[in-house]
Amino acid sequence: MEKSDIIVVSRDRGEKGNYVKPFIKGLQYTLGNFFKKPITVQYPDQKTCRSERWRGLHKLNVDEKGELKCVACGLCAAVCPSQAITIVAREEIGGTRHPETFEINELRCIFCGFCQEACPKGAISLTKVYEYVDYSREDFVFDISKLRTTGEKWNC
Ligand code: SF4
Ligand code: SF4
């Protein structure tokens, strides 16, 4: 390497004692905010509300008799870009249809909301629930019973 290629990098440390001013400025800022109302919350005991457009975990809705509104038409599964929904339909004697099984793999889901938009019965909706941690991948496959109760204890 020629002498002209050497780049000398030096750090200007400034005058001795230059840290006092920034230290006092920082201290002023800290003290100024110390007595203000905190903008943070004590999560998970306290939760902030999500925006109206927030899309969280799914919920299967029921009618006034407590029956699932879903008629197992399969539109939600057909429109789902992630193929996260699996439905097995059951046809009753009168011709009415119900889901025998209805599963959503929440790990595959991209929370686009297409299933909710496609449903002709208002049977599926996306809640504001964003807490979904568990120990195994299988636990993220929500069945009918889990989908019925999603968001029950959620206040926001
Ligand atoms: S939100 Fe989108 S990706 Fe998730 S299940 Fe519904 S359609 Fe599929
Ligand atoms: S949730 Fe709605 S779109 Fe999906 S199968 Fe049931 S009725 Fe059809």
Side-chain angles (χ1 to χ4, degrees), residues 55 58 76 79-85 104-106 108-116 124 126:
R55 293 192 287 262
H58 302 78
C76 54
V79 81
C80 177
S82 307
Q83 298 178 343
I85 304 177
I104 302 183
N105 187 336
E106 300 290 351
R108 291 189 69 110
C109 175
I110 55 168
F111 299 95
C112 61
F114 286 178
C115 50
Q116 180 178 329
I124 187 168
L126 280 85

Side-chain angles (χ1 to χ4, degrees), residues 6-151:
I6 299 171
I7 302 166
V8 179
V9 179
S10 71
R11 189 183 293 167
D12 184 8
R13 292 182 188 275
E15 287 174 32
K16 208 177 176 188
N18 242 3
Y19 59 87
V20 177
K21 255 186 178 176
F23 175 72
I24 291 171
K25 211 173 162 189
L27 205 60
Q28 273 177 337
Y29 187 78
T30 305
L31 288 173
N33 283 282
F34 194 75
F35 299 103
K36 284 187 185 167
K37 195 172 173 250
I39 56 167
T40 50
V41 295
Q42 295 298 316
Y43 183 84
D45 297 327
Q46 288 175 287
K47 295 185 179 76
T48 54
C49 290
R50 303 294 91 201
S51 81
E52 279 308 306
R53 292 185 298 170
W54 175 266
R55 293 192 287 262
L57 293 180
H58 302 78
K59 184 177 195 297
L60 281 179
N61 300 316
V62 293
D63 59 19
E64 53 286 346
K65 291 181 199 153
E67 301 288 334
L68 283 179
K69 288 184 177 179
C70 178
V71 292
C73 65
L75 280 177
C76 54
V79 81
C80 177
S82 307
Q83 298 178 343
I85 304 177
T86 312
I87 304 165
V88 176
R90 179 183 78 238
E91 198 157 330
E92 306 289 352
I93 293 168
T96 52
R97 286 164 61 95
H98 299 285
E100 183 71 32
T101 60
F102 192 116
E103 289 180 345
I104 302 183
N105 187 336
E106 300 290 351
L107 290 184
R108 291 189 69 110
C109 175
I110 55 168
F111 299 95
C112 61
F114 286 178
C115 50
Q116 180 178 329
E117 284 179 40
C119 180
K121 299 287 182 186
I124 187 168
S125 49
L126 280 85
T127 64
K128 293 190 170 51
V129 180
Y130 56 82
E131 289 174 329
Y132 38 101
V133 287
D134 232 314
Y135 293 102
S136 74
R137 299 180 73 83
E138 291 73 36
D139 290 332
F140 289 97
V141 179
F142 282 24
D143 60 6
I144 290 178
S145 112
K146 223 167 174 180
L147 287 166
R148 277 178 81 125
T149 51
T150 311

